[in-house]
Amino acid sequence: MVARDEHKHVELPKEFLQKMRGLLGEREYAGFVESYGQERTPGLRLNPLKVLDAAAVLELTARFGLEKIPWAESGYYYDRNTGPGRHVWHEAGVYYIQEPSAMAVAELLDARPGDKVLDLCGAPGGKTTQIGGGLKGRGLLVANEIHPARAKILSQNVERMGISNGVVTNEEPRELSLRFPCFFDKVVVDAPCSGEGMFRKDEEARSHWSQENVAMCARRQAQILDWAGSMVRPGGRLVYSTCTFSPEENEGSIQGFLKRNPEFYVETPSVWEGFDSGCPQWVEGGQEGLVKTVRVWPHHVKGEGHFAAVLGKDKGAVDEKRKQRSPSYVKDRQVKLLWQEFCQETLTGEGRRFGLEAVERMVLFGDQLYLAPEEMPELSGLRVLRPGLHLGTWKKNRFEPSHSLALYLKKDQVKRWQTWEEESPQIEAYVRGEALKAGRAGREYGNGWTLVGAGQYSVGWAKQVGDVLKNHYPKGLRRDLTLTSGR
């Protein structure tokens, strides 16, 4: 059964409204309900792996009407009339479209370069790619998703954002917990939930809501949290989040976890204006420490509903960490030579240094060559979609670079760089898969692999043959794009 409140434009389950009225009280409830009649404010995160200077930020700010989000270092509200999701720079991984409140979770995790991090429920990739930006290519990022189709989307977003140290797996959380006890410095669990915080934009979440579903989600969260906690090293951090309001799935889930895992405690988190404390009084026997959890309400900030808890693990906790074997790096001399020849012919300066350093950490999955992250463990027996940065395909007598490598590299790392204005007919033709007339890119170095840019950002490969750039933009990505910014 659903009810339509006079203050809002979306239909909400009647039982849900009654529950929220009881939790919030009349005064807060009125503001809460009124927020459902207001338009959502969309957000995006600039990619720090690609947007490298203040001038680039200013250009993007002007183009998309950006306004800073207070709690996210690279987060911005944008003018929905500018259509950044349909622009070629979105395909180039210059930014990631993400709900503003959700950006707080990775900020609370505070991943630093060199950390070993796990995003246990990673799809579609918002928090994963935000963490990847914070790691700046150093350390290890494992992003997992249990559903195969969603895991594929997660892998594609890791590729698009140019993350070199990301591993994407499609595994049961329990399986990972058995393989990696006390292994990760930091773990984030954006848990499957009843989705109440997304009711303003997600009709399916509204239609599927029931108190029984809330209880089912809470039971599932308990299992996932326990598995996640076992993978945190002593002295490490676990951040739990949901996009729901139900205390059973929020403070209740944390209280149950702390009782089962006394080596964990609630840390005092960073808080931002408009964020609220957790509500221990909403769960039976609520511990005082639950007040240090974080609630985000849609009538207090420009964002949707969220909950987060930052949990520390005692440094003196039992360390069950087992020694992890290293992956089997490429030993085949021919594979190494083909890669080195590609680097010599195509890369320059910093790019060539990257290529030479990669030789010692390359792994083969079939005929696909990857650069494994530092400290990557042996992954045999696990369902792995992406064991690091995809370098390309090894084909006996030649090497063909991947789209991942194109999105990772920058213009100063390659010999042949052919760029056009991001809203030019040439870029429009390129993303449709058409061949292009070669410009100056190959005149100095002759025929060969050429990195195509939209403005200053790489979008894919082409191969120069005479006066023609043969298009190597992936067929699965080719489409018509709206390249104008709406200015």
Side-chain angles (χ1 to χ4, degrees), residues 72 85 94 213 239 255 281 298 372 405 417 420 465:
V94 178
N213 186 49
V239 172
Q255 175 154 293
Q281 69 273 21
L405 184 60
W417 166 257
W420 288 278
V465 180

Side-chain angles (χ1 to χ4, degrees), residues 251 254-260 264-266 278-281 283-293:
E251 292 91 348
I254 295 302
Q255 175 154 293
F257 174 76
L258 295 174
K259 287 181 177 179
R260 298 188 303 274
F264 281 89
Y265 58 92
V266 184
C279 300
Q281 69 273 21
V283 295
E284 184 177 351
Q287 302 173 12
E288 290 185 8
L290 295 176
V291 76
K292 292 188 284 188
T293 60

Side-chain angles (χ1 to χ4, degrees), residues 279-345:
C279 300
Q281 69 273 21
W282 287 355
V283 295
E284 184 177 351
Q287 302 173 12
E288 290 185 8
L290 295 176
V291 76
K292 292 188 284 188
T293 60
V294 178
R295 279 186 170 270
V296 185
W297 295 97
H299 58 303
H300 290 176
V301 302
K302 291 164 64 175
E304 305 307 300
H306 244 75
F307 172 88
V310 183
L311 306 173
K313 191 171 187 178
D314 289 333
K315 292 183 179 180
V318 176
D319 190 345
E320 300 176 351
K321 184 175 181 178
R322 67 169 63 102
K323 186 175 182 180
Q324 298 286 341
R325 292 185 296 127
S326 298
S328 300
Y329 296 119
V330 171
K331 295 182 175 62
D332 190 307
R333 188 168 180 271
Q334 186 182 14
V335 175
K336 290 185 175 183
L337 284 174
L338 285 173
W339 167 251
Q340 290 169 327
E341 287 174 6
F342 166 81
C343 294
Q344 187 71 26
E345 294 171 358

Side-chain angles (χ1 to χ4, degrees), residues 409-452:
L409 293 170
K410 300 173 180 63
K411 62 181 180 180
D412 59 352
Q413 295 177 308
V414 295
K415 291 180 177 180
R416 302 173 192 85
W417 166 257
Q418 178 67 67
T419 186
W420 288 278
E421 290 295 322
E422 60 276 6
E423 295 170 2
S424 65
Q426 290 91 341
I427 288 298
E428 187 175 4
Y430 178 75
V431 297
R432 286 200 304 263
E434 298 175 15
L436 298 169
K437 182 175 176 58
R440 299 179 179 178
R443 292 180 184 172
E444 182 178 356
Y445 298 105
N447 295 337
W449 289 104
T450 302
L451 197 58
V452 175

Side-chain angles (χ1 to χ4, degrees), residues 154-165:
L154 171 62
S155 183
Q156 290 168 345
N157 280 321
V158 168
E159 171 181 88
R160 183 170 62 85
M161 302 301 279
I163 296 171
S164 63
N165 58 331

Side-chain angles (χ1 to χ4, degrees), residues 16 29 35 58 74 80 89 138-139 144 153 164 207 210 235 237 239 241 260 270 289 302 305 317-318 320 371-372 480:
F16 167 74
Y29 176 76
S35 71
L58 287 174
S74 300
R80 65 176 68 247
W89 281 347
R138 294 170 50 199
N144 181 69
I153 294 170
S164 63
S207 64
S210 69
R237 174 178 294 164
V239 172
S241 69
R260 298 188 303 274
S270 300
K302 291 164 64 175
V318 176
E320 300 176 351
L371 172 62
D480 288 324

Side-chain angles (χ1 to χ4, degrees), residues 167-233:
V167 173
V168 179
T169 58
N170 170 218
E171 273 297 345
E172 296 277 351
R174 179 179 179 274
E175 182 64 30
L176 293 178
S177 72
L178 295 173
R179 289 286 295 267
F180 302 114
C182 299
F183 180 77
F184 294 99
D185 300 302
K186 293 169 182 173
V187 174
V188 62
V189 177
D190 186 37
C193 68
S194 57
E196 296 167 352
M198 297 295 113
F199 277 0
R200 187 158 56 170
K201 72 170 189 174
D202 191 340
E203 182 179 353
E204 185 177 0
R206 299 195 301 268
S207 64
H208 288 167
W209 187 89
S210 69
Q211 191 55 43
E212 291 75 19
N213 186 49
V214 168
M216 183 272 291
C217 288
R219 291 191 296 272
R220 182 169 53 182
Q221 290 154 3
Q223 282 189 321
I224 294 173
L225 263 171
D226 287 346
W227 290 325
S230 72
M231 290 185 273
V232 180
R233 67 163 176 80

